[in-house]
Amino acid sequence: MELRVLNYFLTVAREKTISRAAEVLHLSQPTLSKQLKELEAELGVKLFERGNREITLTADGIYLQNRGQEILSLVDLTTSNLKKQAVISGKITIGGGETQAFRFIAQLVCELMSQHADIAIELYSGNADDVLEKLDNGLLDFGLVIDPVAKQTYEYRPLPQPDHWGLLVNEQHDLATKEFVTPEELKTLPLLISNQTLVDNQLAEWFGTNRDNLKIVGSYNLLYNASLLVQANVASALCLAGIINTTGTNLRFVPLKPELTATVNLIWKKNRVFSNAADRFLELVGQV
């Protein structure tokens, strides 16, 4: 499959009609249609359902769209970094969930960009499972994940600022005025928890039981939308401190007791070949 034809496919998927895509690509409609039919024949799958007004993607088409966008992003990133090797420049891609530990990364990025004006930063927000997948596929240089780290697969460096777990509650909740909250107080409460695999294991250990014995009414990927459910008093959310600013809201953050902290690690794939910009960033990390 040629990258040129992959771009044709992605343009059609975005524009939803052959005619509009042909205009964008400066091709004739018959030429574009022929390229798409040859792509389907090459892959041995049907990518489109052709309707009266618009085309829709099949399940295979949706899969190719998602992977195709990642492929072209990786090509763009590789090309950008290879073209600018004479000076320290290029793009550094960092993925991670919501964490106060990112302040440490932000300070390093600020120092790096003040020294090298041609460096750009691309951030990806997602949970640890998403970040690890993109690291494995070469779409990220670095990721931020909490312990434990798969040491056989990744290089890592613990960051100096740990995260602290607690409970985000509505101000009308019985626990809102408490200094801390214990496992026994939480076992019967409706809870929202992170859907990250490693987080699930860490919280189960703190509770002293698995999640099946808790009253979990929902899960979240990133915390903001979950906090809106807490504001509506639907449930309380187990989360990290400092992610949601509770000032001026009807939300309160109550720490856990015994204290539950999470070490955040900067990780990267073993034997990864970096751009000189990413190499310089890693040097700064090692100096701290």
Side-chain angles (χ1 to χ4, degrees):
M1 178 174 54
E2 297 181 28
L3 292 177
R4 170 180 56 83
V5 178
L6 178 59
N7 183 54
Y8 291 170
F9 164 76
L10 292 175
T11 303
V12 173
R14 183 180 69 246
E15 298 298 329
K16 297 187 182 302
T17 70
I18 298 290
S19 58
R20 283 202 300 265
E23 290 178 7
V24 171
L25 294 167
H26 305 292
L27 295 172
S28 68
Q29 290 187 43
T31 298
L32 182 55
S33 295
K34 181 174 180 291
Q35 293 284 345
L36 294 175
K37 287 180 180 178
E38 290 178 353
L39 177 61
E40 288 181 317
E42 177 187 352
L43 298 176
V45 297
K46 188 175 183 179
L47 299 173
F48 300 103
E49 296 288 352
R50 292 162 175 82
N52 293 330
R53 295 187 177 182
E54 292 187 344
I55 63 172
T56 57
L57 296 178
T58 64
D60 289 322
I62 292 171
Y63 176 80
L64 181 59
Q65 182 185 38
N66 292 336
R67 290 305 186 190
Q69 289 168 342
E70 291 183 347
I71 290 168
L72 292 187
S73 294
L74 184 56
V75 170
D76 289 342
L77 175 62
T78 303
T79 302
S80 172
N81 288 336
L82 285 175
K83 282 182 176 179
K84 297 182 176 181
Q85 292 299 315
V87 295
I88 295 181
S89 60
K91 185 185 295 182
I92 302 171
T93 54
I94 305 173
E98 299 162 309
T99 169
Q100 286 290 301
F102 193 82
R103 293 183 183 276
F104 172 78
I105 299 299
Q107 292 169 357
L108 295 182
V109 168
C110 180
E111 180 179 350
L112 186 64
M113 296 181 75
S114 68
Q115 298 171 0
H116 308 286
D118 292 330
I119 286 178
I121 303 295
E122 181 176 305
L123 302 179
Y124 170 79
S125 294
N127 66 25
D129 299 330
D130 299 330
V131 169
L132 293 179
E133 180 182 1
K134 289 188 178 295
L135 274 174
D136 292 340
N137 290 333
L139 297 170
L140 293 174
D141 293 320
F142 304 101
L144 293 180
V145 298
I146 65 172
D147 273 341
V149 175
K151 297 179 176 62
Q152 69 275 18
T153 305
Y154 305 102
E155 302 286 356
Y156 70 100
R157 181 178 177 86
L159 300 186
Q161 181 177 349
D163 279 331
H164 298 264
W165 284 95
L167 186 70
L168 190 67
V169 300
N170 187 287
E171 65 181 0
Q172 298 177 354
H173 198 284
D174 292 342
L175 297 176
T177 58
K178 293 254 187 179
E179 292 185 11
F180 52 81
V181 61
T182 65
E184 286 301 319
E185 290 173 307
L186 293 184
K187 284 183 178 178
T188 59
L189 295 181
L191 298 174
L192 301 168
I193 67 167
S194 169
N195 60 13
Q196 298 182 53
T197 305
L198 297 180
V199 167
D200 199 13
N201 295 339
Q202 187 181 34
L203 290 174
E205 184 177 346
W206 181 81
F207 273 109
T209 185
N210 63 46
R211 61 179 295 164
D212 294 337
N213 296 321
L214 303 174
K215 191 176 180 182
I216 297 172
V217 298
S219 62
Y220 62 86
N221 181 12
L222 299 176
L223 184 59
Y224 177 74
N225 286 341
S227 74
L228 299 182
L229 292 179
V230 178
Q231 285 189 24
N233 215 9
V234 173
S236 301
L238 283 164
C239 62
L240 299 174
I243 306 303
I244 297 296
N245 183 0
T246 60
T247 304
T249 72
N250 67 339
L251 298 174
R252 300 291 181 268
F253 180 84
V254 186
L256 301 183
K257 186 175 182 179
E259 183 182 50
L260 180 61
T261 60
T263 299
V264 182
N265 302 277
L266 181 74
I267 69 171
W268 59 97
K269 198 172 180 181
K270 286 186 175 179
N271 303 316
R272 165 90 179 197
V273 178
F274 286 125
S275 67
N276 55 15
D279 273 332
R280 179 58 184 145
F281 174 77
L282 200 52
E283 287 177 14
L284 287 180
V285 172
Q287 293 171 9
V288 177

